[in-house]
Amino acid sequence: MFQGYSDETFEFFMAIGFNNNVDFFHSNHDWYLRGVREPSLRLAEALSPVIEEIDDSLERRPNRVVSRINRDIRFSKDKSPYRDYIWLSFHRPRGDESAAELFYDMSISGARVGMGFYSDSRGYMNALRRLILTESKRIAGLFESLASEFNLHVNAYKRMAIPDSVPESLKCVYPAKNFYFEKPISDFSLIKSPALADELAESFRLLAPLYQTLAKLVPIEDF
């Protein structure tokens, strides 16, 4: 049962940030398991019912949901072997280019909960653009309903023409390559409490209508 994170969690993040090497990690592996990995697995398990409710095809197995601490340094200039943060990703099976997912991540600075549409697939984004044109009121309502709780971040094409009929609230979304919503959680007493699971579940339920719309998109190559 998820009981919240602890001071040990954030102390470990700070320590690995200053001692990012194999010897330190191996000497403190039990600390990592106790403070970071095990509570994250329990949190993923606690969130499984709401994820199944939203989309039962999303990955819910805790060991597949919780990120590894090891970094892939093969193509990175930063050769630090370990991350000083962790995330939970409830995603479709690998290879599904629609790439809509629900996530929670956490570092020494605090936490975030949200939803990403990371497809980088022009076909899926074309499908969303068509939906914006054909069902503009409904899609605008889905985005606007999240504005008071979540911050929207968009990676957009710089020169894509935006039709005049696109609602103002969707003008930043229409030329998107990908985007995500996130809500910061800076209340450490909440993060260290069992109530965090309920807070995340409620956030995922708010995101569910837009997520479910994105999950149904069928890619359009020519648009």
Side-chain angles (χ1 to χ4, degrees):
M1 181 178 296
F2 179 68
Q3 295 298 320
Y5 289 94
S6 67
D7 289 338
E8 277 196 312
T9 308
F10 299 98
E11 289 165 358
F12 179 83
F13 286 150
M14 182 177 291
I16 198 71
F18 283 105
N19 303 278
N20 204 316
N21 60 76
V22 172
D23 288 343
F24 177 85
F25 181 74
H26 286 177
S27 297
N28 293 277
H29 190 251
D30 288 346
W31 182 7
Y32 161 67
L33 292 178
R34 187 175 62 248
V36 180
R37 181 75 181 174
E38 290 172 359
S40 297
L41 292 171
R42 290 193 291 269
L43 178 59
E45 185 176 15
L47 292 169
S48 180
V50 71
I51 297 301
E52 183 176 15
E53 170 190 316
I54 293 169
D55 181 353
D56 63 7
S57 72
L58 288 173
E59 180 63 76
R60 302 189 303 281
R61 290 171 291 178
N63 280 322
R64 300 293 182 90
V65 168
V66 177
S67 67
R68 299 175 63 214
I69 195 170
N70 303 74
R71 296 179 63 250
D72 184 350
I73 61 175
R74 291 173 299 171
F75 309 108
S76 174
K77 292 181 180 178
D78 181 358
K79 298 303 181 183
S80 303
Y82 303 107
R83 301 182 176 97
D84 57 356
Y85 57 93
I86 199 164
W87 73 83
L88 279 62
S89 169
F90 299 95
H91 52 268
R92 289 282 186 91
R94 296 301 181 193
D96 184 334
E97 292 182 337
S98 64
E101 67 176 58
L102 298 165
F103 69 83
Y104 168 78
D105 63 43
M106 182 180 64
S107 70
I108 195 170
S109 302
R112 302 182 307 159
V113 58
M115 180 194 70
F117 193 58
Y118 303 121
S119 67
D120 266 341
S121 163
R122 190 150 189 153
Y124 277 100
M125 296 312 299
N126 283 343
L128 178 58
R129 281 185 268 276
R130 175 168 289 180
L131 207 57
I132 288 172
L133 295 177
T134 59
E135 300 184 39
S136 58
K137 186 174 180 179
R138 181 174 76 87
I139 302 304
L142 291 174
F143 276 83
E144 291 165 5
S145 70
L146 301 174
S148 64
E149 293 281 338
F150 298 88
N151 301 315
L152 172 61
H153 302 267
V154 180
N155 177 25
Y157 293 105
K158 297 185 184 303
R159 298 180 181 176
M160 180 175 288
I162 302 173
D164 293 339
S165 61
V166 173
E168 192 63 34
S169 61
L170 296 178
K171 287 189 183 300
C172 66
V173 178
Y174 187 87
K177 298 177 184 178
N178 50 62
F179 61 88
Y180 67 95
F181 281 94
E182 56 93 16
K183 178 170 70 173
I185 302 174
S186 56
D187 182 351
F188 284 87
S189 63
L190 174 61
I191 296 171
K192 297 175 187 177
S193 163
L196 177 64
D198 294 331
E199 176 72 17
L200 300 184
E202 180 58 29
S203 294
F204 289 152
R205 288 190 178 100
L206 290 174
L207 292 160
L210 178 57
Y211 166 82
Q212 290 163 343
T213 292
L214 297 174
K216 293 175 183 176
L217 291 175
V218 177
I220 300 171
E221 297 308 322
D222 297 319
F223 178 71

